[in-house]
Amino acid sequence: MIPILSLSPLPETLAPALRERYAVHVGAGGAPLPAVRALVGGGSMTVDPALLDRLPRLEIVAVHGVGHDGIDKAALAARGIVLAITSDVLTEDVADLAIGLWLAVERRIAANDRSVRAGGWSVPLARRASGRRIGVYGLGAIGRAIAARAAPFAGEVLYGGRSAKPDVAWRFVPDLTALAAASDVLFLAAAADAGNAGVVDAAVLTALGTGGVLINVARGLLVDQPALVAALASGTIAGAGLDVFADEPSVPAALHRDTVVLSPHQGSATTEARAAMAAMAVANLDAHFAGMPPPGLLR
């Protein structure tokens, strides 16, 4: 059987199917690294040249997710190693969570739940979600799904990113600070890399403004987290819904505020999404070793 390596424990949705087909090794210790031909891991795994040097026969990195900001793609390309992700299968669930976080912040759902559980009943007034101007940073599959869900609520939908999309009617705002200034709610759905690390900084948060809400279901890397903490503490923005953080699973106590809804990076954590992700991760490996392009090939 072809030897494959996972650097962390495999989810139960994925492990049985992999073990039926491949010689699976979990953790580098004791694994036959010179023989390993595939590397499997979640979207937050790190793959750098030092690791690749230890895996001379590696042919494919199969990500169980869509994140790949910790993977040195230039190093893979230089070695002819394929990179595949579980694209599209978690889009709907991540977009659902993004909308849920937004509504939870605007209507104080989490804060009011805590109040009722503690015996309270009288709570501060919340804010209407309908009619707000919605900005989406990153109009890939997930960004589009968020925008489509938000549109029936929105006064206007705007988006930003690398380029305008000719097949959508929403307004394109190329500059992120300008997008924030034009939005009441700013959703982050962009892929993260070294080029946009900390792109949501103090200036962007100031532009979002005292009535603005930030929703992040992309990567914590996109946000200057100390600047976000300061903006929430000072009232520079009204609130935030966060599924991702700078140093997971560490969440600063300063984010434990009634104006913030916290979520444990659970965008794809549904039975349906995890089953589909596992099936696609296996399909990516099977296709590659059968001499065909993986369905989730990242080009």
Side-chain angles (χ1 to χ4, degrees), residues 216-246:
N216 190 3
V217 293
R219 280 291 184 266
L221 181 69
L222 293 171
V223 178
D224 179 338
Q225 192 164 273
L228 175 59
V229 168
L232 290 162
S234 66
T236 298
I237 66 172
L242 307 172
D243 188 44
V244 290
F245 305 89

Side-chain angles (χ1 to χ4, degrees), residues 135-211:
V136 180
Y137 176 60
L139 206 71
I142 292 172
R144 285 173 181 254
I146 292 170
R149 283 161 171 73
F153 290 93
E156 183 182 13
V157 174
L158 312 93
Y159 71 97
R162 292 189 178 93
S163 60
K165 309 298 182 184
D167 59 333
V168 302
W170 303 313
R171 179 156 63 98
F172 177 57
V173 182
D175 178 75
L176 179 54
T177 304
L179 177 65
S183 303
D184 297 312
V185 185
L186 180 62
F187 288 89
L188 304 184
D193 55 39
N196 60 10
V199 69
V200 179
D201 56 14
V204 170
L205 295 168
T206 298
L208 185 56
T210 57

Side-chain angles (χ1 to χ4, degrees), residues 221-292:
L221 181 69
L222 293 171
V223 178
D224 179 338
Q225 192 164 273
L228 175 59
V229 168
L232 290 162
S234 66
T236 298
I237 66 172
L242 307 172
D243 188 44
V244 290
F245 305 89
D247 183 26
E248 297 175 2
S250 175
V251 178
L255 289 175
H256 297 185
R257 312 177 65 88
D258 281 353
T259 56
V260 180
V261 177
L262 304 172
S263 175
H265 202 150
Q266 63 167 335
S268 67
T270 67
T271 301
E272 296 85 355
R274 292 294 170 85
M277 288 166 64
M280 191 167 190
V282 171
N284 283 333
L285 291 167
D286 288 351
H288 172 76
F289 289 117
M292 299 181 293

